[in-house]
Amino acid sequence: MDLPEEEFIYPGTRACAGCGMALIYRIALKALGAKTLVTVPASCLTVLHGMQGFCSTKVSVYHTPFATTGASASGIVASLEDKGLENEITVLAFAGDGGTTDIGIQALSGAVERGTNFIYACYDNEAYMNTGVQRSGSTPYGVKTTTTPEGKLSHKKDMPKILEAHGIPYIATGIASYPLDLFEKFKKARTIHGSKYFHILSPCPPGWGYDPKDTISIGRLAVQTGFWILYEIENGIFKLSKPSSRYLDPLKRKPIEEYLKAQKRFSEMTQQQIKVYKVYIDNMWKDIKRRIECQN
Ligand SMILES: Cc1ncc(C[n+]2csc(CCOP(=O)(O)OP(=O)(O)O)c2C)c(N)n1
Ligand code: SF4
Ligand SMILES: [Mg+2]
């Protein structure tokens, strides 16, 4: 109710019912407004936009080859600067986890190292969904995909940490289940000069194996179990976001089993694998606690 009423995506897109990515995109565009130019690589978001000749958004969208999202954003920003329009138009790169953590990582690294003035948002549905659920560097441990039929053996790549090593002014995580948190972060990012990076968990009913009506509750469980942590890093200062702040206390977190059991992709996880998850989550939070204590 507190989000602006104006919509920048027309109704009836080709995304699946309950698509987390469509919600994230909708919220991001509400925060950034009409004067936004988006660059998008091959992904489910390409499908949302529609076939050539049509576009389901009110803002202009540039479809760029899979590996080139960061480079295309740098080019668009350079062109706007040449025309004196850099303060008028926000450049938003919006890519999936495959297009970000794997195939687009070098172009992204180059763009932020050059200090390109843009926002890069990775919507993370934790696999290559558009091509039928193959594992990516962002697929979590234990998840079954068509290329990890026995479950993935390694944990997700920590992209925000990699981006932080580039020394950029703003990094944030998000999820559409907490829409105001996500909206406010995009609004803030718009006012910051330089490279801004978002990593946003994006529940996906067919890829994760749950009913489309449960997208919001699955996202909330990701946060409530401590698996997905909402935070911002502004000029090197780490800040837990309000929806996650109470979970610094491990006793407040819901058991991770509640999140895992709600999704078919985690089916057949052994007790041993669940223990690995518990240690993984505890370690993430211990790191955060140490970091907050060092800052104070
Ligand atoms: C160079 C190249 N390799 C492979 C593809 C095929 N392809 C299109 S979309 C896609 C999956 C993208 O995965 P991700 O970035 O996670 O976005 P999602 O589909 O999950 O939204 C792949 C492999 C392509 N278009 N170009
Ligand atoms: S496969 Fe998943 S990410 Fe792709 S459109 Fe459907 S719900 Fe969205
Ligand atoms: Mg994906």
Side-chain angles (χ1 to χ4, degrees):
M1 295 291 282
D2 292 328
L3 295 175
E5 273 187 33
E6 190 173 2
E7 299 288 350
F8 296 94
I9 308 178
Y10 295 107
T13 74
R14 299 168 83 223
C16 309
C19 176
M21 169 272 285
L23 280 172
I24 294 163
Y25 195 40
R26 185 177 169 208
I27 293 165
L29 291 180
K30 277 176 185 272
L32 301 178
K35 289 195 171 175
T36 302
L37 218 156
V38 194
T39 175
V40 176
S43 58
C44 282
L45 185 53
T46 328
V47 177
L48 177 144
H49 286 124
M51 306 290 275
Q52 191 179 0
F54 297 89
C55 192
S56 58
T57 57
K58 290 185 195 167
V59 297
S60 293
V61 178
Y62 176 72
H63 287 288
T64 191
F66 209 3
T68 60
T69 315
S72 72
S74 282
I76 293 166
V77 169
S79 154
L80 291 174
E81 283 170 356
D82 188 53
K83 292 177 168 52
L85 293 170
E86 71 272 22
N87 295 325
E88 257 186 68
I89 298 174
T90 304
V91 176
L92 171 68
F94 214 95
D97 51 298
T100 301
T101 68
D102 300 334
I103 192 162
I105 194 168
Q106 68 85 10
L108 167 61
S109 173
V112 304
E113 185 272 331
R114 286 188 292 274
T116 301
N117 182 26
F118 78 134
I119 300 172
Y120 189 107
C122 170
Y123 69 91
D124 185 2
N125 52 24
E126 301 185 319
Y128 291 76
M129 293 306 179
N130 185 41
T131 40
V133 199
Q134 294 84 29
R135 63 87 93 186
S136 77
S138 204
T139 302
Y141 172 73
V143 165
K144 281 200 221 169
T145 66
T146 50
T147 47
T148 54
E150 306 287 324
K152 195 185 168 208
L153 299 175
S154 52
H155 289 291
K156 284 171 83 73
K157 200 184 271 190
D158 190 339
M159 277 304 281
K161 247 188 200 162
I162 294 172
L163 269 291
E164 195 183 359
H166 289 72
I168 62 176
Y170 188 75
I171 294 167
T173 59
I175 193 160
S177 302
Y178 296 89
L180 279 179
D181 176 73
L182 190 59
F183 175 79
E184 292 300 338
K185 285 170 175 169
F186 271 104
K187 252 179 63 180
K188 183 192 277 188
R190 190 170 169 236
T191 65
I192 297 171
H193 190 84
S195 302
K196 286 81 63 178
Y197 180 78
F198 281 75
H199 204 95
I200 311 163
L201 191 66
S202 180
C204 163
W208 292 15
Y210 67 85
D211 194 298
K213 72 172 172 41
D214 295 330
T215 289
I216 298 298
S217 56
I218 292 273
R220 286 205 186 120
L221 268 179
V223 173
Q224 291 162 347
T225 54
F227 171 80
W228 191 246
I229 306 172
L230 299 176
Y231 61 82
E232 295 170 287
I233 305 171
E234 212 175 329
N235 295 318
I237 305 295
F238 181 95
K239 192 174 161 219
L240 264 182
S241 308
K242 207 169 162 219
S244 275
S245 54
R246 67 194 305 261
Y247 303 117
L248 200 53
D249 176 354
L251 298 175
K252 298 258 166 59
R253 287 175 223 148
K254 288 190 173 172
I256 187 62
E257 287 91 329
E258 286 190 34
Y259 181 63
L260 304 178
K261 285 191 176 139
Q263 305 166 54
K264 285 204 188 82
R265 65 181 178 149
F266 290 110
S267 61
E268 295 166 38
M269 287 216 21
T270 62
Q271 283 308 314
Q272 183 54 34
Q273 283 175 306
I274 294 173
K275 262 195 208 149
V276 170
Y277 254 106
K278 291 187 178 178
V279 172
Y280 169 76
I281 291 173
D282 275 352
N283 285 342
M284 279 197 301
W285 282 96
K286 276 182 194 153
D287 275 354
I288 285 178
K289 203 164 178 227
R290 265 197 297 271
R291 184 163 183 174
I292 294 172
E293 282 165 3
C294 283
Q295 276 177 191
N296 291 338

